[in-house]
Amino acid sequence: MPDTDLPDSETEAPTAAELEAAGQSAMFGGEPAKPESAPESGPSEAAEAAPKPAPPAVADPAQPYRVLARKYRPQTFSQLIGQEPMVQTLANAIRRDRLAHAFLMTGVRGVGKTSTARLIAKALNCIGPDGQGGPTIDPCGVCEPCRAIAEGRHIDVIEMDAASHTGVDDVREIIEAVRYAAVSARYKIYIIDEVHMLSRNAFNALLKTLEEPPAHVKFLFATTEVDKLPVTVLSRTQRFDLRRIPTERLGEHFAWVCSQEGVEAEPEALNLVAAAAEGSVRDGLSILDQAIAHADLDSDAKVTAARVRDMLGLADAGAQRRLLGAILEGEPKTMLDTVADQYALGVEPLALMRSLMEIVHRITVMQIGGAMPDLAGEEERGQLSEWAARLTPGQLHRLWQMLLKGYDEVKTAPDPLVSAQMALLRLIHAANAPDPGSLVKRMEELAKGIPAASADSPAPALGSGDSPETRTRPASLARPDFASLVAKVEDAGEYIAASIMRLQLRVVSLEDGALTFARAPEFRDKIETELRGALAKATGRSWVLTEVEDPAAPPSMAEAAQAEAAALRDAMEAHPLMQAARAAFPQAELLDEKEQAAANNARQWSKQA
């Protein structure tokens, strides 16, 4: 146990630089490096220096450069950004003494899984500056367990990389060691990083110990691929899903890091870095480290948006909007020139396609009233608002689908630039095309002879010289014949529909693509859907069917055939020969050969049944 009467300088929490330096010294066997931020000074000097911001750290030639991702690794839960629900859960568990024996941290890279495991180890083993403290969500950072864990030298906190220790023998060593109590800490803690890399036999060997470990043992697992863990392991752990850090929160954190480093950075540049990080703090700090090194020394090493965009190979925001404007206005030459300019500046075609997809997504979100807090300025906001008011949802969705298809083509094409140009040219030709719903509606209105209303999407209008007949009906289409139409339906295999057309339909009017009919009062079933499908199959186009009540409508084909047969029978009965036969044979009957054959067939079927 450490001495409780510590000097004031030893009770102050160490900085991240101190802990990192101490950890490197312990790892490489050197003397602990003196903290850069704690020079020897009197109390008055320290008081005067307190309110002033820390100047940029000067690199010690004896120590290697520490990248930002390591230098600003969280040392307390308050420094762990974006994971407040998990911190609250752990805090309540510690206060209520309901600590689980195994924790599993999952999430994408760089969101703080391993850092959280180390912080939990410090929180469980902290004894406070006076040596009398217990588990706390706010470890002091100055007691011996906190310092030893931060420096990676605590004997009771064992950190293992499962990627290089995958076998059952490595797990067997853990099983043998958990039987022994902790040497100097409250808990013996095993941190297993990338735990999904363990073999199946290793997982099976660990199950019994993981389910009922000794009271002094805690297991902390970290993984990026939780779906590869057996369900038997998941059921024995308390799982925390670490979230991606929002872009706005990352931008604020990077601004704080720049202030600590004494580096000036444009807000737009930090937003670009945060967007490129995709929710990962470590990725973002690595990109920011590169951006600081990439900054032009002639401009006081200021991190500018132009430099970051050039470093990441991103398209300029203004050039993105100009490119989309050329596509929407149907200007292929302007579009090709803009693509060529961006390619000459080092922008990859794939990044260009992705930037266009981002703009289309922003316009869509803005159109439905969504908040867009990451818009750079009023110019961008005004341009996107104009497009959101001008374009229809159908056009935006078609733009997105065609850009997505073009993105896949560019990603796999042997020449990405040519593929991007062809994909955007295809987009220009399809930009003004009407959506399928409006096109079908327009065709139906034209088939009815009604002047077509203006569609939602900018479809090509009819020329001013077109005649009224041309506007309502294409001249190349001749007026169809109903009997031949029924024959086509029957030839297409739609026998039921053809029978309905013969028996029920009293044709009022028949145009190409439009049929108006009446039916006898005894027919009340719904036939429009079946007839519309049969006509479309037989003619290869859609039809508009309208049923009306018209007593003066001409008879159906069946009714006309019956009337014709009745007229023929009457003519035969009036013939002198037929009258002579009737006189000679009063009981004779006049039979129709077809009707007689049908009656015979019906009798045979009834006997077989």
Side-chain angles (χ1 to χ4, degrees), residues 121-146:
K122 291 170 64 174
L124 297 182
N125 287 323
C126 178
I127 60 176
D130 57 356
Q132 303 299 320
T136 174
I137 197 63
D138 297 313
C140 64
V142 298
C143 64
E144 177 58 26
C146 286

Side-chain angles (χ1 to χ4, degrees), residues 337-361:
D337 292 341
T338 306
V339 171
D341 293 341
Q342 291 297 299
Y343 187 74
L345 292 174
V347 179
E348 292 296 328
L350 199 64
L352 200 63
M353 298 294 292
R354 182 169 179 176
S355 65
L356 289 175
M357 294 170 65
E358 290 176 355
I359 295 180
V360 172
H361 171 259

Side-chain angles (χ1 to χ4, degrees), residues 34 94 107 114-115 121 178 222 236 246 258 270 286 290 313 367 409 418 455 465 471 483 496 499 552:
K34 294 182 179 180
I94 290 175
T114 306
S115 297
V178 296
R236 289 166 167 82
C258 288
L270 296 180
S286 299
Q290 184 179 358
Q367 191 179 68
E409 292 175 356
V418 173
R471 293 173 185 269
I496 296 178
S499 177

